[in-house]
Amino acid sequence: MIELNLQVEELISKNATDFQISKVFKNYYKNYLESIDTTVETTGGKDFFIKHTKHTDKFLILLYKYILRKNFSSHQPMSTSIPISLVALGSYGREQLCIYSDIDIMILYENIKGYNLKDIMEEFITLAWDCGLKLGSRVHELKEISEAVKEDITIKSSILESRMIYGSKILWFGYENVLNRIRKTNQKEFILEKLEEHKQRLLKYPLRMEPNIKDGYGGIRESNMMYWMANILYGVTNTKDLIGKQFTEEEYKKYRQALEFIFQVRNALHNIARKKQDQVTFDILPDLSSKLGFINKPRHTKDRQCMSKILSNLHIIHNFTATMVKKFTRQTLFEASNIPKLRKLRYKKNLYIIENKLFCSFSAKPLLLNNLIKELIDIPSSVNEFDRSYIYYISKVKLPKTQRKDLKKNVKVLLSKPNIHPIMKLIYNAGLFQTILPSTKKIIDQPQFDGYHKHPVDIHSINALKFSEIIKNEEIKSIYEDLTNDQKIIVRLVSFFHDIGKGRTEDHHIVGEKLFKSMLKSFFFDEEMIKIGARLVRYHNMMSYIATREDIYSEKTILNFTGLIKTKESLKMLYVITYADISAVGENIFNSSISSLLKQLYTQTLPAFENEDLLKESTRRIAKQNTIKNLERYKKLPIMLQKKIMYIASNQIFLRLKAEDILDIAIKAKDIDTYIYKITNDPQLTIRIIRQSPLNLGYLLGKLEFLNIASMNIFKLYDNKKAFEISFSEKVDKEDIYFIEEIIKDSFDMNKTTNLLTPIIKKENIKIDTNHTTYLASMHIVAKDQKGLFAYIAKIFDDFNVEIESAKLHTSKGYAKDLILIEKNGCFCSMQDDIVNLMCIGNKTE
């Protein structure tokens, strides 16, 4: 900085132009940012913030002094005599300035005759921008401040963190007096507005596998929120001043250590991205973990260790700040007129139930753990939420050295309660998860990098428990309600602990089964319940796996599935558990498409427990034909059409569709000379075509490659007619329907072609079974999810005149996992090597 000062002085003495001088400033700041990399690595989070803040202070002061020198020349007065003060705001005011953060400053002035203040302020801001500073500036006259904060809560929040950089001390003293008045004005309104703003921010940025460490759950904004409340209510400029008054030194130390780590993370993110970056994304995580000093270990990669520590520290910050904000503001927000009402809502000493939410006095003395478990068992079932005060209260519980028999028996009673999700969430938020349920140790803050799960394992598990109790799908809900009480307990416990085996090197299904057995045995659960539950933990995702990737109309598939789950009751329980597990992943993951597939698997599997012969294709076809024959509409059809319907070539149409739907398709096909189609767009886009004329399937799918296909069925009817049903995983905008109609019409021109990208498919990821059923061969394909993948495959099948009977297309964790069923009466079996070679040609040019 001294060298820069000398350079500027020399240029001034040589009467250099503004452009020449601003170029020197700009180059200096650019070089500073480029050299900052090593500084970040050798200093901690807060230490770097302070160093960077002080350096920025000096740089801005130098710019300001140059502007004064330029305007006043050799007649420059003392800086404190000029009625301008440079004031740092926001993170800059808190001395938490990150590398690429906006530099928020306020130019405070008093409009006194005799100074050309407007020109000075404008030139200063222009020069700062020219130098590359991301300046967030506001200009206020001292007398305007009180009115300005009334207009915008953001302004009030920002100026609470004011810090003088340079300028008139007289003006600053006047400003401090105004600040003191502002702090005491409309406190309640300010608190309520900030609480609502904070609530909306957390709803926008909840804790996910790619957390936002500034605005999200446990982020720096939460720390700011606590500071604002402390500043407004207690007048402190450092929350540390409240040690011994509002929190203990140990609590504050734990919080500050967590915040220090998040500061380090933010510095590293900005440094790696070379821009403002506050979200820890999967693509930036490898560089981030290295920069923070993590190294790969046999059990856990550096990325996993890094993300786990981030999640852990975000929890610490959130729990501490949320509790303290509640504690700070309770007295201000409380209405004295509510005291009589509060007395009526008293549940027991220091506990109050208000609108199904349990509140507690912050002065309540902690309980022994066993007494706490008893209290949780006795809490009315109507209580579905716990205030921060109660979470804080139970976090102070007195812990035993070991879990005695009476404690474990009480834990069993607690786990057997219906609607235990709020209580388990409470235990988790209070940091007692591992204490009460020791087997959960490895899943706490355990990241999931599979591209599917949106939450770490612990939060996903708690969400799964929630969805096992709050079932929105009416059919699954009715199945759950028909279960016995013990079966419902199993459903809830398996939903809760299905991923308990994660965080270890072995397969989490096998480890989870063992841990589940051991844990429930330690809590004295019934042996038969443990046995059934452990098997369901072992196969907890088998139903979704088979429904999305296997031919659920295959006798072989169903028999293998029933062999794993053993009983009809286990199937019902697994159906509910699967719903809870998928729903817990994220909003709209359990959609109409997956719901339909699971329902089909469930209805296909149920008869297998009654009579295995019912699974045979011939038996099921005959049964469906007999149902059709009993329909009044069928009886009124001409004899010739009745015979054609009974001799429909496709077995699959009788296995997959209802009798009424088969009859509808068959009757519609009677008068078709070319084709008809129908498009439905609710809940997802589905195209149904019945055709006599040839359909250019490769062209149709190629033109629709911008949509994700979920499934496709092709049924041979009679008189060389076919029915097509193509379902997509999403709906389209209404205005797109016309566009899709035009594509369908063009698809009956066999000369039409479309440019298809050649996808990369590896031979070892193609599995063919020519004996899938008597009539069908199967092809399983696993490949990276690529646009137009299935359209490309369909085009090859078209070229070989291979008939596709149906296709199930599923994408998970960035990979397409497709099942195609192919008629064996064509050339597929004899030409399969040529077909596979052509499908994999893209892999050769990779």
Side-chain angles (χ1 to χ4, degrees):
M1 195 71 77
I2 294 171
E3 186 182 340
L4 174 63
N5 203 357
L6 292 172
Q7 278 184 275
V8 172
E9 286 296 329
E10 186 178 350
L11 287 169
I12 291 172
S13 66
K14 292 179 179 179
N15 295 318
T17 63
D18 286 349
F19 176 76
Q20 290 173 309
I21 293 173
S22 67
K23 189 175 180 182
V24 171
F25 278 122
K26 185 176 183 178
N27 287 337
Y28 173 85
Y29 195 71
K30 182 183 176 185
N31 292 333
Y32 167 70
L33 288 179
E34 288 174 353
S35 68
I36 223 165
D37 188 49
T38 52
T39 310
V40 170
E41 292 177 359
T42 55
T43 55
K46 180 66 174 174
D47 285 347
F48 172 78
F49 283 157
I50 291 172
K51 284 183 180 179
H52 184 47
T53 299
K54 295 302 182 189
H55 189 280
T56 305
D57 284 353
K58 291 175 183 177
F59 189 70
L60 285 172
I61 291 168
L62 206 55
L63 294 183
Y64 179 62
K65 283 182 175 178
Y66 165 68
I67 296 298
L68 294 182
R69 180 78 173 271
K70 176 186 167 186
N71 279 272
F72 290 102
S73 188
S74 57
H75 301 286
Q76 182 179 331
M78 296 288 289
S79 60
T80 194
S81 301
I82 302 169
I84 292 177
S85 287
L86 304 182
V87 181
L89 304 175
S91 62
Y92 185 28
R94 293 191 307 271
E95 296 186 325
Q96 292 178 5
L97 188 63
C98 204
I99 308 169
Y100 293 97
S101 294
D102 291 343
I103 301 167
D104 295 326
I105 69 165
M106 175 168 63
I107 302 176
L108 187 68
Y109 73 99
E110 196 165 7
N111 196 11
I112 296 172
K113 292 179 181 180
Y115 289 101
N116 195 7
L117 298 181
K118 186 178 179 183
D119 285 349
I120 292 172
M121 292 186 290
E122 285 182 355
E123 287 180 29
F124 170 72
I125 292 170
T126 302
L127 180 59
W129 275 101
D130 287 345
C131 291
L133 272 72
K134 293 174 69 177
L135 208 64
S137 59
R138 58 175 68 251
V139 180
H140 288 292
E141 191 172 1
L142 180 60
K143 64 183 182 181
E144 298 173 350
I145 297 296
S146 296
E147 289 302 315
V149 297
K150 293 177 183 177
E151 296 172 10
D152 189 349
I153 190 174
T154 308
I155 298 175
K156 184 170 182 177
S157 306
S158 185
I159 70 164
L160 288 176
E161 300 162 320
S162 298
R163 179 180 57 82
M164 183 172 173
I165 303 170
Y166 190 72
S168 170
K169 289 183 180 179
I170 298 169
L171 198 57
W172 171 253
F173 294 147
Y175 176 69
E176 282 190 313
N177 291 331
V178 174
L179 269 185
N180 287 331
R181 290 198 299 271
I182 288 170
R183 286 190 183 102
K184 296 172 184 176
T185 306
N186 298 326
Q187 285 186 342
K188 186 172 181 179
E189 291 79 358
F190 175 77
I191 290 168
L192 289 171
E193 276 194 66
K194 291 305 291 184
L195 288 173
E196 180 59 28
E197 178 188 83
H198 189 59
K199 177 184 174 183
Q200 295 306 319
R201 189 186 297 116
L202 292 185
L203 288 173
K204 185 177 180 181
Y205 300 108
L207 184 63
R208 294 187 180 275
M209 278 312 309
E210 293 185 306
N212 185 308
I213 56 137
K214 180 188 175 187
D215 293 313
Y217 173 101
I220 295 168
R221 286 285 186 210
E222 295 225 54
S223 175
N224 299 348
M225 180 70 179
M226 185 178 75
Y227 171 83
W228 293 327
M229 297 301 108
N231 184 272
I232 281 284
L233 296 170
Y234 304 115
V236 298
T237 54
N238 191 329
T239 50
K240 187 178 181 181
D241 296 341
L242 297 176
I243 292 175
K245 300 172 184 175
Q246 298 295 332
F247 40 75
T248 66
E249 186 169 357
E250 186 181 346
E251 288 173 323
Y252 188 74
K253 182 180 178 182
K254 185 179 179 182
Y255 153 70
R256 283 301 307 184
Q257 286 173 340
L259 190 60
E260 168 66 18
F261 179 72
I262 296 303
F263 285 161
Q264 291 176 28
V265 172
R266 192 174 191 222
N267 285 334
L269 283 174
H270 280 222
N271 196 18
I272 293 164
R274 296 289 176 187
K275 63 179 182 179
K276 191 175 181 179
Q277 172 77 29
D278 294 316
Q279 186 175 15
V280 183
T281 58
F282 290 154
D283 58 341
I284 211 169
L285 185 59
D287 287 339
L288 177 66
S289 57
S290 296
K291 194 166 280 293
L292 292 173
F294 292 94
I295 56 173
N296 289 323
K297 294 181 180 178
R299 292 179 68 86
H300 296 300
T301 64
K302 61 184 178 65
D303 295 357
R304 186 170 291 278
Q305 296 171 62
C306 179
M307 182 60 81
S308 181
K309 188 169 181 180
I310 290 171
L311 295 171
S312 174
N313 284 296
L314 291 176
H315 280 306
I316 291 168
I317 294 167
H318 173 77
N319 286 329
F320 182 76
T321 57
T323 299
M324 290 308 136
V325 166
K326 185 77 177 182
K327 192 175 183 182
F328 296 169
T329 59
R330 175 175 279 192
Q331 190 172 353
T332 304
L333 298 180
F334 184 73
E335 297 283 353
S337 59
N338 287 330
I339 292 175
K341 298 177 187 175
L342 202 59
R343 286 179 182 144
K344 292 178 182 178
L345 296 169
R346 184 176 179 271
Y347 167 57
K348 59 168 67 172
K349 185 179 179 181
N350 291 318
L351 298 181
Y352 303 86
I353 298 175
I354 305 170
E355 296 179 351
N356 297 328
K357 187 173 184 177
L358 187 62
F359 290 76
C360 181
S361 167
F362 275 105
S363 61
K365 292 181 180 179
L367 294 170
L368 294 170
L369 181 60
N370 200 21
N371 291 337
L372 171 65
I373 299 296
K374 290 176 183 176
E375 182 170 282
L376 294 176
I377 290 169
D378 293 337
I379 284 173
S381 58
S382 59
V383 173
N384 54 31
E385 198 174 350
F386 297 90
D387 184 67
R388 264 287 145 195
S389 55
Y390 191 77
I391 296 172
Y392 183 64
Y393 161 64
I394 76 161
S395 72
K396 301 295 182 185
V397 70
K398 295 176 183 178
L399 303 177
K401 291 182 180 178
T402 57
Q403 284 195 0
R404 293 170 57 181
K405 190 174 182 180
D406 57 338
L407 173 61
K408 290 182 177 181
K409 285 186 174 180
N410 285 329
V411 172
K412 178 196 173 183
V413 175
L414 184 66
L415 290 173
S416 301
K417 281 188 67 171
N419 306 318
I420 58 165
H421 165 256
I423 293 175
M424 289 301 122
K425 188 177 177 183
L426 163 73
I427 289 169
Y428 177 78
N429 287 334
L432 297 174
F433 211 53
Q434 183 183 332
T435 302
I436 295 173
L437 305 166
S439 298
T440 62
K441 178 181 177 181
K442 293 287 185 181
I443 68 169
I444 294 173
D445 299 319
Q446 184 64 231
Q448 303 195 83
F449 299 127
D450 53 18
Y452 172 65
H453 290 92
K454 305 293 189 297
H455 304 286
V457 181
D458 47 7
I459 294 176
H460 172 75
S461 301
I462 292 170
N463 286 344
L465 173 62
K466 173 186 171 183
F467 283 103
S468 72
E469 297 176 351
I470 305 171
I471 302 172
K472 296 179 181 178
N473 182 291
E474 290 301 321
E475 187 166 355
I476 296 174
K477 186 177 180 180
S478 67
I479 291 170
Y480 175 76
E481 288 174 347
D482 285 341
L483 297 174
T484 66
N485 186 53
D486 281 354
Q487 289 168 348
K488 288 176 181 176
I489 292 172
I490 292 171
V491 166
R492 294 195 296 269
L493 293 180
V494 174
S495 298
F496 191 19
F497 298 118
H498 70 280
D499 278 343
I500 199 170
K502 285 190 173 178
R504 295 163 172 83
T505 52
E506 304 91 342
D507 185 331
H508 83 276
H509 301 86
I510 298 170
V511 178
E513 179 183 29
K514 293 175 182 176
L515 286 172
F516 187 87
K517 281 181 180 177
S518 174
M519 180 174 62
L520 264 65
K521 191 174 182 180
S522 73
F523 292 138
F524 308 105
F525 276 89
D526 178 74
E527 283 291 339
E528 187 60 27
M529 287 179 68
I530 294 172
K531 182 180 175 183
I532 295 168
R535 187 187 305 121
L536 291 173
V537 170
R538 173 74 178 268
Y539 299 113
H540 67 263
N541 60 359
M542 189 56 68
M543 192 169 187
S544 60
Y545 179 91
I546 291 172
T548 55
R549 302 180 199 177
E550 300 289 341
D551 176 17
I552 60 176
Y553 298 94
S554 159
E555 179 183 0
K556 192 190 325 181
T557 299
I558 299 299
L559 286 176
N560 286 340
F561 181 45
T562 57
L564 294 176
I565 56 174
K566 305 295 184 186
T567 66
K568 181 164 61 174
E569 288 70 28
S570 291
L571 172 66
K572 292 178 178 180
M573 287 186 278
L574 183 58
Y575 193 11
V576 182
I577 291 162
T578 303
Y579 163 81
D581 184 14
I582 296 173
S583 298
V585 172
E587 194 176 352
N588 298 323
I589 301 297
F590 191 89
N591 52 33
S592 57
S593 175
I594 190 70
S595 174
S596 175
L597 289 171
L598 289 171
K599 182 180 177 181
Q600 289 172 50
L601 175 58
Y602 176 73
T603 54
Q604 288 295 313
T605 307
L606 271 179
F609 294 108
E610 306 295 336
N611 184 350
E612 283 188 12
D613 288 339
L614 295 176
L615 293 177
K616 293 179 180 177
E617 286 188 31
S618 56
T619 305
R620 284 186 283 168
R621 174 168 179 145
I622 291 168
K624 195 65 65 71
Q625 285 175 325
N626 289 336
T627 304
I628 293 170
K629 287 176 182 177
N630 288 325
L631 296 174
E632 288 302 318
R633 282 197 300 156
Y634 175 84
K635 293 174 182 177
K636 294 175 183 178
L637 295 175
I639 299 296
M640 184 57 70
L641 182 56
Q642 288 182 352
K643 286 185 177 180
K644 285 181 178 180
I645 292 171
M646 289 300 109
Y647 286 104
I648 282 175
S650 172
N651 250 11
Q652 292 289 306
I653 196 170
F654 291 100
L655 303 181
R656 292 172 182 267
L657 302 185
K658 295 177 181 178
E660 288 279 4
D661 295 333
I662 296 169
L663 192 57
D664 279 342
I665 291 170
I667 293 171
K668 285 176 183 174
K670 176 174 68 76
D671 299 320
I672 292 172
D673 295 322
T674 53
Y675 67 89
I676 60 169
Y677 67 87
K678 182 181 180 182
I679 298 173
T680 56
N681 196 34
D682 188 33
Q684 77 264 358
L685 176 68
T686 300
I687 298 172
R688 294 180 177 86
I689 299 171
I690 304 175
R691 63 85 175 157
Q692 172 88 50
S693 305
L695 173 66
N696 192 338
L697 183 61
Y699 174 82
L700 173 64
L701 298 181
K703 295 298 284 184
L704 295 175
E705 68 177 7
F706 62 93
L707 296 168
N708 291 318
I709 306 172
S711 65
M712 181 174 72
N713 292 312
I714 305 173
F715 304 125
K716 273 189 178 179
L717 303 175
Y718 52 83
D719 296 342
N720 292 319
K721 294 171 184 176
K722 279 188 177 182
F724 295 75
E725 182 180 81
I726 307 169
S727 293
F728 298 85
S729 59
E730 64 224 296
K731 65 193 301 184
V732 297
D733 296 332
K734 285 184 180 179
E735 53 267 27
D736 289 334
I737 299 294
Y738 172 77
F739 172 64
I740 292 169
E741 288 178 335
E742 291 303 306
I743 292 174
I744 293 171
K745 293 170 186 175
D746 288 342
S747 297
F748 286 92
D749 181 348
M750 298 307 289
N751 295 316
K752 288 274 187 184
T753 58
T754 184
N755 292 325
L756 293 172
L757 293 173
T758 304
I760 296 168
I761 308 171
K762 296 181 180 179
K763 273 189 181 181
E764 60 266 30
N765 291 333
I766 299 177
K767 308 295 180 191
I768 294 173
D769 179 5
T770 53
N771 294 312
H772 180 73
T773 70
T774 308
Y775 309 100
L776 299 172
S778 69
M779 176 184 281
H780 280 89
I781 301 171
V782 177
K784 281 188 178 179
D785 190 24
Q786 302 158 76
K787 283 288 183 187
L789 175 65
F790 188 71
Y792 177 79
I793 295 168
K795 175 68 171 61
I796 292 173
F797 282 6
D798 278 351
D799 293 342
F800 280 85
N801 292 316
V802 169
E803 304 276 6
I804 297 174
E805 178 75 28
S806 72
K808 182 179 288 183
L809 314 174
H810 178 68
T811 301
S812 174
K813 303 175 185 178
Y815 279 84
K817 298 169 183 179
D818 300 344
L819 168 67
I820 304 170
L821 300 184
I822 304 143
E823 287 189 11
K824 289 200 288 191
N825 59 1
C827 62
F828 175 74
C829 295
S830 60
M831 300 293 290
Q832 60 178 289
D833 290 340
D834 293 336
I835 292 170
V836 169
N837 285 333
L838 198 54
M839 284 169 59
C840 297
I841 201 166
N843 191 44
K844 297 172 184 175
T845 58
E846 185 181 6

